[in-house]
Amino acid sequence: MDNNNQNYTIEKESRIKNLNLLKSRGINPYPNLYKPEDTSINVKNKFINNGEKEFKTNIAGRIMLLRDFGKAIFATLKDFDGNIQIYARKDMLGEEKFEIFKLINVGDIIGVKGNVFKTHKGEITVLVEEFTILSKSINPLPEKWHGLTDVELRYRQRYLDLIINDNVKINFVMRFKIISLIRNFLQQKGFIEVETPMMHHIPGGAAARPFITHHNALDIDLYLRIAPELYLKRLIVGGFDKIFELNRNFRNEGIDTKHNPEFTMLELYQAYADYNDMMLLFEELMNYLAFEIKGSNKFEYQGEILDFSNWEKIKYVDALKKFANIDIENIKNRNDAFNLAKNHGIQKVEEYMNKWEIINLFFEEYVEKKLIKPTIIYEYPTELSPLAKNVANNLEFVERFEPYVYGRELANAFSELNDPFIQSERFLAQAQKKVKGDDEAMYMDEDYINALEYGMPPTGGMGIGIDRLVMIFINTNSIRDTILFPTLKTR
């Protein structure tokens, strides 16, 4: 056993001893109820705003630091709002209660009642007149001067990460604020929030490998949702004009700094709109969030200054030419694309891939990482966009755009395909790809086709990755820093 593990074991045994001493004195270390009446930040503000006039308070929180001076103990108490110093004196509490206070360890949660004052060193402090142990911490916290620096441990034990690293809590509060702001923005625009199923008979709405589960009572396999798109568009058919869903999606794919198998998406649909309307809505939303979160539409991310008021717009084929020096005019068929990929050492070409899917490998490899400043790529190839409507008088491209920041796709939007006959042909083409080995190809959804046959108005739709959006606003390069409990390999 190394020294760290040995020290940890000794400390834990000491804490269990203190727990048993409390019980032997008839004290329940895990009482049912305690109601604090104030918070650390409110106490400090009240004290300052009242001209530093002393008053009584009742607060609760976790002990983060203890300094024992024999007949007096100073401690730092941490609640959701922040920290405040507390001060326990033997002559104030009496010998018996002071001895109980000395059984408190760093990490314990306690309630404190007492007088608020300022020490000679100028620190606002609560003099402990009464205290209640609310939860005994058996596991020692990491040493304050070392903190919790093991990144994997931080993700596995997020509860410990939140206790030790204050900025982590701040980041997640920011995430929830962003989601709240998005809701407010869309509701002000007349959008209605809806809910659609998370278990699907047919996985649809995106090209992705699904997770499969089984419903015992019905004795059928179901799929965890990879996207809510087809259900949301059914609602447009049914007469809803503006809808959105903040949803959890599940895709059975790899894990890296940009991907987690379970993630959060915003999907919205607007009748009598197209991808140009979605583009304007997207830019307005990004500007709104930037001002609300950062106070300006220009802010720093990973050493770059981003301007959310200025999105460069470039066509898909022009981006390939500009950033990868690939001229589409020279690629006539799949064989040309395959040879180009081979010459550039791209290994991921599969038998089922068509010309544009092979070309898109170049886009992912050579173009995406160069899209640092806010950029909107638009007019994607039809063969990459089974659910999007074609550009007028051009069957090779669709009215679709994707915004990128710092090499990461933030959203996907397009004019929705509402022709049931073309949509059926697109589904059949996807089914053929699945036969050839593409396990991410879309399934034929006959009920969705049936819905389209009742008539869906011209519609614009957009999906925004919430986790990736939060990455930008909290200035991190890993999606795991935006998800409270990211998916990890089991130990």
Side-chain angles (χ1 to χ4, degrees):
M1 181 184 294
D2 61 34
N3 286 338
N4 286 337
N5 287 336
Q6 188 174 21
N7 292 339
Y8 183 92
T9 301
I10 292 171
E11 171 66 15
K12 186 166 183 174
E13 289 173 351
S14 173
R15 287 164 177 258
I16 293 173
K17 181 180 178 181
N18 286 354
L19 175 73
N20 291 330
L21 285 171
L22 289 171
K23 289 180 176 179
S24 70
R25 292 170 178 254
I27 296 170
N28 177 10
Y30 306 100
N32 286 12
L33 186 64
Y34 186 90
K35 292 188 176 181
E37 297 168 357
D38 226 330
T39 66
S40 59
I41 193 166
N42 284 342
V43 168
K44 291 178 179 179
N45 288 339
K46 253 190 246 182
F47 186 78
I48 293 167
N49 294 336
N50 291 338
E52 299 191 354
K53 183 179 178 181
E54 296 185 8
F55 63 93
K56 302 287 186 184
T57 191
N58 170 14
I59 59 175
R62 189 183 298 274
I63 298 298
M64 299 302 294
L65 182 67
L66 277 170
R67 291 169 290 162
D68 191 337
F69 296 97
K71 295 183 179 181
I73 297 173
F74 284 93
T76 299
L77 183 144
K78 177 181 178 180
D79 60 15
F80 185 80
D81 285 346
N83 300 320
I84 194 166
Q85 181 170 268
I86 63 172
Y87 173 43
R89 287 170 29 191
K90 186 175 182 179
D91 59 353
M92 171 68 72
L93 292 173
E95 186 168 342
E96 183 178 350
K97 287 186 177 179
F98 190 72
E99 286 303 310
I100 294 171
F101 195 93
K102 290 173 77 73
L103 297 176
I104 292 172
N105 295 105
V106 169
D108 289 359
I109 298 172
I110 70 170
V112 171
K113 297 178 181 180
N115 205 48
V116 182
F117 72 104
K118 182 181 275 189
T119 65
H120 294 301
K121 292 185 178 180
E123 186 161 358
I124 298 171
T125 303
V126 179
L127 177 64
V128 181
E129 297 172 4
E130 298 178 43
F131 68 93
T132 306
I133 297 172
L134 304 176
S135 184
K136 198 84 183 76
S137 175
I138 302 304
N139 290 332
L141 296 181
E143 295 176 348
K144 183 179 184 296
W145 50 90
H146 290 144
L148 185 62
T149 56
D150 184 322
V151 174
E152 185 177 345
L153 184 61
R154 287 180 49 219
Y155 297 143
R156 288 188 184 279
Q157 299 183 14
R158 183 67 85 185
Y159 45 88
L160 188 57
D161 191 23
L162 290 165
I163 292 170
I164 298 300
N165 298 317
D166 289 339
N167 64 304
V168 174
K169 181 187 71 178
I170 292 169
N171 285 342
F172 281 105
V173 170
M174 179 76 75
R175 175 193 172 96
F176 306 136
K177 180 180 179 181
I178 290 168
I179 291 172
S180 178
L181 287 169
I182 290 171
R183 275 197 170 96
N184 292 338
F185 174 87
L186 291 175
Q187 287 166 353
Q188 290 296 317
K189 293 284 185 182
F191 284 82
I192 296 172
E193 185 170 8
V194 298
E195 296 175 318
T196 61
M198 295 180 70
M199 292 192 296
H200 294 179
H201 290 280
I202 298 170
R209 186 184 299 115
F211 287 97
I212 303 174
T213 187
H214 188 78
H215 191 290
N216 290 333
L218 297 177
D219 193 25
I220 58 171
D221 285 339
L222 294 170
Y223 302 90
L224 295 184
R225 168 169 72 193
I226 60 174
E229 178 167 342
L230 301 187
Y231 279 95
L232 290 170
K233 288 193 284 194
R234 283 172 168 92
L235 297 180
I236 296 292
V237 170
F240 282 89
D241 279 358
K242 291 182 174 182
I243 54 174
F244 75 95
E245 183 173 10
L246 281 156
N247 56 84
R248 301 291 282 182
N249 291 336
F250 307 85
R251 298 183 185 177
N252 201 345
E253 58 188 15
I255 299 173
D256 58 30
T257 57
K258 295 190 293 185
H259 297 89
N260 192 71
E262 179 182 357
F263 59 97
T264 303
M265 286 280 291
L266 163 70
E267 287 221 13
L268 62 89
Y269 293 86
Q270 180 177 344
Y272 310 106
D274 66 0
Y275 83 134
N276 289 310
D277 297 299
M278 295 297 102
M279 202 178 295
L280 290 172
L281 186 67
F282 173 81
E283 292 183 76
E284 188 178 348
L285 175 58
M286 293 303 106
N287 251 320
Y288 169 74
L289 292 176
F291 272 106
E292 291 293 326
I293 300 298
K294 298 292 188 178
S296 170
N297 50 28
K298 295 179 182 178
F299 57 94
E300 188 269 336
Y301 175 73
Q302 301 288 298
E304 296 283 341
I305 299 299
L306 304 180
D307 184 355
F308 269 22
S309 69
N310 183 23
W311 291 78
E312 180 183 0
K313 297 176 178 65
I314 181 169
K315 288 185 178 181
Y316 180 89
V317 294
D318 294 336
L320 280 165
K321 192 169 185 177
K322 178 179 179 179
F323 296 108
N325 197 29
I326 294 175
D327 191 343
I328 298 304
E329 296 297 322
N330 298 326
I331 306 174
K332 304 298 183 184
N333 49 48
R334 185 190 187 278
N335 193 52
D336 289 345
F338 179 81
N339 290 331
L340 188 66
K342 185 177 179 181
N343 293 337
H344 283 77
I346 291 180
Q347 306 292 328
K348 296 186 291 183
V349 178
E350 302 288 350
E351 190 65 33
Y352 56 78
M353 288 182 172
N354 57 44
K355 172 185 122 176
W356 282 109
E357 286 172 321
I358 297 172
I359 290 172
N360 198 54
L361 296 176
F362 284 89
F363 187 90
E364 293 173 349
E365 181 70 25
Y366 294 109
V367 178
E368 286 187 357
K369 63 186 177 185
K370 296 178 181 177
L371 304 176
I372 302 300
K373 65 180 181 179
T375 305
I376 288 175
I377 306 295
Y378 69 102
E379 284 194 14
Y380 276 70
T382 302
E383 291 183 344
L384 299 180
S385 316
L387 299 169
K389 182 174 286 189
N390 284 105
V391 174
N393 302 316
N394 189 339
L395 295 179
E396 195 169 13
F397 296 96
V398 295
E399 294 185 346
R400 172 187 171 193
F401 76 87
E402 289 188 348
Y404 283 82
V405 173
Y406 209 78
R408 301 187 193 101
E409 171 204 343
L410 287 186
N412 186 20
F414 39 85
S415 302
E416 303 297 331
L417 178 56
N418 62 344
D419 183 326
F421 300 101
I422 296 176
Q423 186 62 81
S424 184
E425 289 172 4
R426 299 257 188 98
F427 278 152
L428 288 171
Q430 289 285 304
Q432 290 170 5
K433 286 168 59 62
K434 192 170 286 291
V435 170
K436 292 179 180 179
D438 185 358
D439 54 7
E440 293 188 357
M442 294 183 188
Y443 288 73
M444 167 65 80
D445 189 332
E446 293 181 358
D447 181 70
Y448 177 65
I449 297 297
N450 188 59
L452 290 184
E453 288 177 346
Y454 281 100
M456 184 174 81
T459 298
M462 177 163 57
I464 299 175
I466 297 297
D467 308 312
R468 290 187 186 178
L469 185 62
V470 173
M471 285 174 66
I472 292 171
F473 284 116
I474 68 171
N475 198 7
T476 181
N477 60 7
S478 174
I479 200 170
R480 292 179 180 179
D481 292 328
T482 74
I483 299 171
L484 279 169
F485 299 101
T487 303
L488 300 169
K489 184 184 292 185
T490 55
R491 281 180 168 172

